[in-house]
Amino acid sequence: MTANIASYLLQLLAGRWLGVAGYSEFASLLAVQLLCAVPALALQNVVARELVHGTDIAALRALRWRCAALVAAAVVVLVPVVSVLLDVGIAAAAAALGSAPALVVLAGEQGVLQGQKRFRGLAVVLGVTGIAKVAPALLVLAWGGGATAALWAAAGGIAGAAVCGRIVAGPGRGPVEDRGVLAGAGVPGDSGATDVGAGARSGVADVAAVLRAAQVQAALMALSSADLIVVRIVLEEPDASRYALGTIATKIAFWLPQAVGVVLYPRMAQPASSGSAVRSALAVLAGIGVVAVLGAAVAAPLAPLFAGRDYAPIQGLLWLFALHGAILAVLQGALLSAIAVNRTALAALAWVGLALEVVLMLTLASTVTGLIVTAALVAGATTALVSLLVVRSAQPHPVVTGEGPAW
């Protein structure tokens, strides 16, 4: 909650200080920065999953450095591409992408804490990261700095948070305490999880495992951010900025229940508890989403008071923005369960949904209302299908024995 509130505060104050003339560029660069978190989130999930299966911590930390190096190389290639795509300067694109390697290093330590169920330490790291990222950016904006300087300040804060994460995680405490339930059990669809045994495994996870998880996270992050990039193509600058501010409600509804997936993920990775954990996660996420949408509808009249009168035209749409975020939160829970058991092929449905959303926005939507309705409808259809398949795959399957089928 601390990290989320800090993030929302940055976007709210940036919207006021930069105005409708400048906030769209900043919001689009923030969306790029969010996409930069994809390899980091994937690494965190892989590290947590492999720790549940007993992999050696030193091997996973070595994997973290390999992934950070690959991400740094990708950043060098992508900076000019982002600059052209968003029509921003090279320095601005570099600022948005520059935090990616540090995010990967940080995520490795967060995965250690999550996989060992050290949620108090994980909470400290998440909170510190949120503050370290936002506080320097807010200071820069308050002193009259632009989007580029603010994003560079945020990147520096993330690098400092990575150091904090390593200190909190420490040398590690070895495998999680309930690893024994996995001995010899294996995880469906994970060819490397069937040989857990009594000792910790070494070198099971590799870059390929992270890439498989990354394409799942990429699909989700792209679905939650693509609209911010498309609006700069479809809408005039003032309306694009209004839409960008409306997505704060989307982000609140999306990230508000993040702790549900974080806490239940280790259980999702265990065959004995995976099914119940998935169903619990989806039910809780849906319930929180309903509350978020109702809250957005009730609080909508207050939005212009905080963001400025320029944003009054979108206050009646805030519940739709929140609905979009709530739907994506459920999709995130479903896709996390797919990563937990290494069934990452389900991400293909999310990629199809993303392509459909972009095509419909570019060809049919030409207003703020049309864009957010399109985004919510496509997200809803994608989430319903993915959730149905995840729940069905989590059902227990009969085991054939000499005496007939048994559960």
Side-chain angles (χ1 to χ4, degrees), residues 298-367:
V298 172
L302 300 177
L305 298 178
F306 291 101
R309 298 304 305 175
D310 287 338
Y311 298 98
I314 66 165
Q315 72 178 60
L317 300 174
L318 288 183
W319 71 272
L320 268 173
F321 283 98
L323 176 62
H324 184 212
I327 292 171
L328 290 175
V330 177
L331 179 60
Q332 181 182 46
L335 290 178
L336 274 177
S337 70
I339 296 175
V341 294
N342 209 8
R343 292 196 184 103
T344 52
L346 277 174
L349 296 174
W351 285 114
V352 172
L354 171 65
L356 180 61
E357 175 184 297
V358 171
V359 170
L360 291 177
M361 283 183 166
L362 290 175
T363 57
L364 299 180
S366 59
T367 64

Side-chain angles (χ1 to χ4, degrees), residues 69-385:
L70 289 173
V71 167
V75 165
V76 174
V77 175
L78 289 174
V79 164
V81 176
V82 171
S83 176
V84 172
L85 180 64
L86 296 184
D87 191 23
V88 297
I90 289 291
L97 293 165
S99 62
L103 282 172
V104 171
V105 175
L106 172 64
E109 301 305 329
Q110 291 177 172
V112 170
L113 293 167
Q114 183 182 10
Q116 295 177 332
K117 300 185 180 179
R118 294 164 59 190
F119 296 119
R120 182 170 299 177
L122 179 58
V124 170
V125 173
L126 291 173
V128 168
T129 300
I131 295 172
K133 172 185 174 182
V134 170
L138 282 179
L139 288 175
V140 169
L141 290 172
W143 288 338
T148 301
L151 288 169
W152 276 120
I158 292 171
V163 176
C164 173
R166 182 63 179 86
I167 294 172
V168 173
R173 300 177 183 173
V176 292
E177 65 275 8
D178 53 353
R179 196 193 73 204
V181 299
L182 291 168
V187 177
D190 186 348
S191 59
T194 57
D195 185 23
V196 178
R201 300 181 305 166
S202 176
V204 172
D206 55 16
V207 173
V210 177
L211 290 176
R212 288 193 296 271
Q215 62 95 17
V216 180
Q217 294 288 355
L220 179 65
M221 292 299 103
L223 270 173
S224 67
S225 304
D227 54 339
L228 278 171
I229 297 174
V230 173
V231 295
R232 283 181 59 82
I233 301 173
V234 176
L235 302 177
E236 297 295 328
E237 187 70 24
D239 279 341
S241 290
R242 293 186 182 103
Y243 186 99
L245 195 75
T247 60
I248 294 179
T250 302
K251 291 179 175 64
I252 290 174
F254 179 51
W255 293 111
L256 177 66
Q258 183 185 18
V260 175
V262 170
V263 172
L264 289 177
Y265 184 81
R267 287 182 54 200
M268 292 178 184
Q270 297 177 349
S273 57
S274 179
S276 62
V278 171
R279 291 189 293 272
S280 296
L282 296 182
V284 173
L285 290 170
I288 294 176
V290 171
V291 174
V293 173
L294 293 176
V298 172
L302 300 177
L305 298 178
F306 291 101
R309 298 304 305 175
D310 287 338
Y311 298 98
I314 66 165
Q315 72 178 60
L317 300 174
L318 288 183
W319 71 272
L320 268 173
F321 283 98
L323 176 62
H324 184 212
I327 292 171
L328 290 175
V330 177
L331 179 60
Q332 181 182 46
L335 290 178
L336 274 177
S337 70
I339 296 175
V341 294
N342 209 8
R343 292 196 184 103
T344 52
L346 277 174
L349 296 174
W351 285 114
V352 172
L354 171 65
L356 180 61
E357 175 184 297
V358 171
V359 170
L360 291 177
M361 283 183 166
L362 290 175
T363 57
L364 299 180
S366 59
T367 64
V368 172
T369 302
L371 287 165
I372 187 56
V373 168
T374 300
L377 287 176
V378 174
T382 304
T383 301
L385 184 55

